[in-house]
Amino acid sequence: MKSTWKWMGSMALGLTFLLSSCGEGNPYTNALPKDAAAVFSLDLNKMVQKCGLNEQAQQSVREMLKTSLKGKADALVDKLMENPEESGLRLTDRVYFFVTPQMEMGGALVRVTDKGKLEDLIEVLHAQQACEAPADGDGCRWTVGGGGLMAWTDDAFLVVGNNGDPKDLQHQASMWLRQKKGEGYSGTPEFEKLEDAAEDVAMVTSLNIMPKTYLAPMTMGLPADLKLDNLKLFSTLDFQDGRAVMEVETLVEGQQFKDLLKKQAEVCGELDGTFLETFPANTVCWASAHMNGEKAYELLRENPTIRQELDNSMMPLDFEAIFKAVKGDVALAMPEMSLTPGVILYADVTNSEFLRTFEDLKPILAMTNGQMRLLDKGKDAYQFVAADGSMLGMGRGPVSLWLGVKDKRFYLTNQESLIGREVKGLSLKDCSWAKDVKDKRFYLNVNFQALAAVLPQVPYVSMLDYLTIESDNPTKGRMVLQMKNRQENVLKQLVQIVNN
């Protein structure tokens, strides 16, 4: 089995790296299953060009293919390397990958340009014992190899796999291959967005992709008639010079989800950037959002499960008072990397009166015989101490947390020295990306150069500059991976990292 996968991987790599011709219209996309929970569209031709592989790398692929074929098909390898379309497949048209609901099945779809040449290639695979002898199906031809089923027509080549016997998938594959225009996924509005995407990778996913065992906890308390496929994510990934950019958009159908998004928009407003000056420029990780605590509390209580937990909590805290006090920017940061990194949460609050509710915790903690304590640390300040953090799911050993309000800012941290620490020198506000924070609804930055300074044993980290995730719209987000080298395409740089 391992040798079969190795051969198929080598063949796919060789074909992908050397394709260069253009494609015309073809109905191969009709074979995409209509109920797919996720569909990925890849422009492999453009991605290969961005990799910038030289002749030496291409020769290495050629030799790898010949080795995998045990020297019995050298002429075929040379033929394919000179003209990849001799395979009968055209990977210069977009290649599609899909997953059915609950991840029960997955597959890939490629355009066929010459069925005869494709079957010649399948015969070579059969001679190498990489697949079974091809057979006639219901409107298609098929074979089994590499743990999956391969089926094809004059237009489409389909590879499908699941956890069962791949032969059992033959009927389903033949049904997909017989679909007419508009009958499958290609007839949906989401597919139109995939087709219109100019980026290297485009994808649409829905909550239905998750197995039910994982999905149930996420949807607990939501209306029983809520259709999960009414909420989808449309994403694109583009490899550019010096950076990779991912755009994410929430696609919503149905009034329930639209109402939910509207309420979420009322919870998170536009950032002021209040906490940029609070941390030094070499901060490892910083994330911030603008929060209306009162609206957040109202939204949480609309979920029956969460409302029950809040109303019947064993913790005698006034959750409503805590939430309502939060109004303004909230920031979570890891200023520096170490064996025990410090993390601190800041939040703009309207008052410190809500801290009184923590006094009600002291009688309960006293019942733990000193295993957990809440200590006064001055006005509006506490230290929570646990003898063993594993009781709270925080790892073994003693744990201390400091919380309180100072200068109308709530803080929660695992290192007391971080509270109100003065910035000496440049702050995050002086960073090149800081100008993009204001008016966003969410912003996160990871400083890889700060990580590289403490991780010299991982050289590729120094090739990365920073990662940002931002959102200026309740239904849209953006992620950027910025490289130190801003001239070469990021895909070429990432390939170099893998090769090293």
Side-chain angles (χ1 to χ4, degrees):
M1 181 67 74
K2 290 183 179 179
S3 61
T4 300
W5 276 111
K6 181 179 179 182
W7 186 93
M8 293 185 69
S10 300
M11 179 63 77
L13 182 63
L15 291 175
T16 302
F17 280 172
L18 292 166
L19 292 167
S20 59
S21 59
C22 300
E24 304 92 20
N26 185 281
Y28 76 110
T29 55
N30 291 344
L32 289 170
K34 188 169 187 177
D35 67 340
V39 178
F40 304 83
S41 170
L42 281 69
D43 190 333
L44 294 180
N45 186 49
K46 188 190 297 184
M47 293 169 65
V48 168
Q49 293 175 6
K50 290 181 177 182
C51 285
L53 296 176
N54 55 29
E55 292 183 6
Q56 182 178 358
Q58 295 179 16
Q59 183 61 31
S60 297
V61 172
R62 184 191 298 258
E63 294 304 321
M64 181 174 55
L65 288 173
K66 289 183 178 181
T67 301
S68 298
L69 289 171
K70 304 174 184 178
K72 297 181 180 179
D74 288 359
L76 174 63
V77 172
D78 290 332
K79 187 177 181 181
L80 290 175
M81 298 298 276
E82 295 300 325
N83 182 12
E85 288 211 1
E86 290 297 320
S87 67
L89 300 175
R90 179 170 287 175
L91 298 181
T92 47
D93 280 14
R94 294 187 79 97
V95 174
Y96 294 88
F97 295 86
F98 62 86
V99 181
T100 60
Q102 283 78 58
M103 296 186 179
E104 292 181 352
M105 199 183 311
L109 179 66
V110 186
R111 177 182 173 181
V112 172
T113 54
D114 192 315
K115 184 180 178 182
K117 291 180 180 179
L118 173 60
E119 295 196 341
D120 290 342
L121 181 59
I122 297 294
E123 287 296 337
V124 173
L125 288 173
H126 178 228
Q128 294 291 314
Q129 298 182 340
C131 71
E132 298 181 4
D136 289 322
D138 191 0
C140 68
R141 296 268 286 166
W142 66 277
T143 185
V144 170
L149 179 128
M150 295 178 280
W152 61 93
T153 63
D154 292 341
D155 304 315
F157 178 74
L158 190 63
V159 181
V160 191
N162 65 359
N163 291 325
D165 187 342
K167 290 183 179 180
D168 295 337
L169 303 176
Q170 190 271 326
H171 177 66
Q172 179 63 78
S174 67
M175 291 179 61
W176 287 336
L177 288 168
R178 294 200 310 271
Q179 290 178 153
K180 304 299 182 182
K181 183 177 181 180
E183 292 180 350
Y185 194 85
S186 61
T188 65
E190 292 77 28
F191 182 76
E192 292 182 12
K193 294 184 73 69
L194 290 176
E195 275 203 310
D196 292 340
E199 292 80 3
D200 300 322
V201 182
M203 62 203 92
V204 176
T205 57
S206 74
L207 289 176
N208 276 333
I209 192 175
M210 299 183 66
K212 292 181 180 179
T213 53
Y214 298 106
L215 190 59
M218 293 180 57
T219 57
M220 187 179 298
L222 294 177
D225 60 345
L226 194 66
K227 295 183 179 179
L228 298 180
D229 55 0
N230 281 348
L231 178 64
K232 300 182 177 71
L233 291 180
F234 171 67
S235 310
T236 60
L237 176 60
D238 201 41
F239 299 104
Q240 304 174 4
D241 290 345
R243 65 178 189 168
V245 180
M246 173 176 279
E247 306 278 358
V248 181
E249 178 184 359
T250 304
L251 306 179
V252 178
E253 296 179 10
Q255 194 59 44
Q256 287 176 312
F257 274 124
K258 291 180 180 179
D259 291 342
L260 180 60
L261 284 176
K262 183 179 179 181
K263 292 174 181 177
Q264 289 178 343
E266 295 174 349
V267 171
C268 295
E270 296 179 345
L271 276 164
D272 297 319
T274 305
F275 296 104
L276 285 169
E277 295 180 312
T278 309
F279 299 97
N282 63 347
T283 294
V284 172
C285 182
W286 180 88
S288 189
H290 190 90
M291 183 73 65
N292 184 322
E294 183 175 2
K295 293 291 185 181
Y297 185 74
E298 292 175 358
L299 182 60
L300 287 173
R301 287 190 60 81
E302 288 189 12
N303 184 302
T305 304
I306 297 178
R307 183 172 62 249
Q308 185 176 7
E309 290 295 325
L310 291 173
D311 292 344
N312 301 288
S313 174
M314 295 181 64
M315 303 287 285
L317 296 176
D318 188 344
F319 292 104
E320 183 175 7
I322 295 173
F323 272 95
K324 286 186 175 181
V326 179
K327 191 168 186 180
D329 282 8
V330 177
L332 177 67
M334 180 192 296
E336 56 193 25
M337 176 61 73
S338 66
L339 292 176
T340 56
V343 179
I344 187 166
L345 170 73
Y346 278 119
D348 286 329
V349 292
T350 57
N351 63 77
S352 60
E353 299 301 315
F354 67 94
L355 286 177
R356 294 178 183 175
T357 187
F358 289 99
E359 290 291 331
D360 297 328
L361 278 178
K362 290 182 177 180
I364 293 181
L365 296 180
M367 298 171 63
T368 66
N369 295 320
Q371 292 298 302
M372 290 186 287
R373 295 175 293 158
L374 188 65
L375 309 176
D376 293 320
K377 299 294 288 184
K379 186 177 184 299
D380 296 333
Y382 294 97
Q383 179 185 1
F384 172 79
V385 179
D388 188 355
S390 61
M391 295 184 294
L392 304 171
M394 300 175 66
R396 291 186 174 276
V399 170
S400 286
L401 297 174
W402 288 263
L403 65 151
V405 173
K406 184 177 181 179
D407 299 327
K408 291 190 175 181
R409 290 180 174 180
F410 171 77
Y411 60 83
L412 174 65
T413 180
N414 64 340
Q415 287 189 8
E416 187 177 16
S417 61
L418 295 179
I419 303 170
R421 177 186 288 183
E422 181 183 355
V423 175
K424 298 179 180 179
L426 299 178
S427 72
L428 290 177
K429 193 172 183 179
D430 298 302
C431 294
S432 60
W433 51 267
K435 64 181 184 301
D436 301 323
V437 172
K438 188 173 174 58
D439 298 334
K440 295 294 190 301
R441 290 177 174 268
F442 175 82
Y443 203 96
L444 175 144
N445 177 275
V446 178
N447 185 342
F448 286 108
Q449 289 302 295
L451 284 173
V454 294
L455 295 173
Q457 69 274 26
V458 189
Y460 68 83
V461 176
S462 62
M463 297 177 64
L464 309 174
D465 194 352
Y466 60 80
L467 171 75
T468 62
I469 300 176
E470 63 181 66
S471 174
D472 58 3
N473 184 297
T475 61
K476 293 185 178 181
R478 190 170 191 253
M479 181 174 73
V480 177
L481 175 64
Q482 181 67 58
M483 310 293 287
K484 284 292 290 183
N485 181 344
R486 285 163 164 73
Q487 279 69 51
E488 283 191 314
N489 189 276
V490 65
L491 191 57
K492 184 177 181 179
Q493 296 185 56
L494 293 176
V495 170
Q496 292 172 351
I497 290 176
V498 173
N499 290 337
N500 292 333

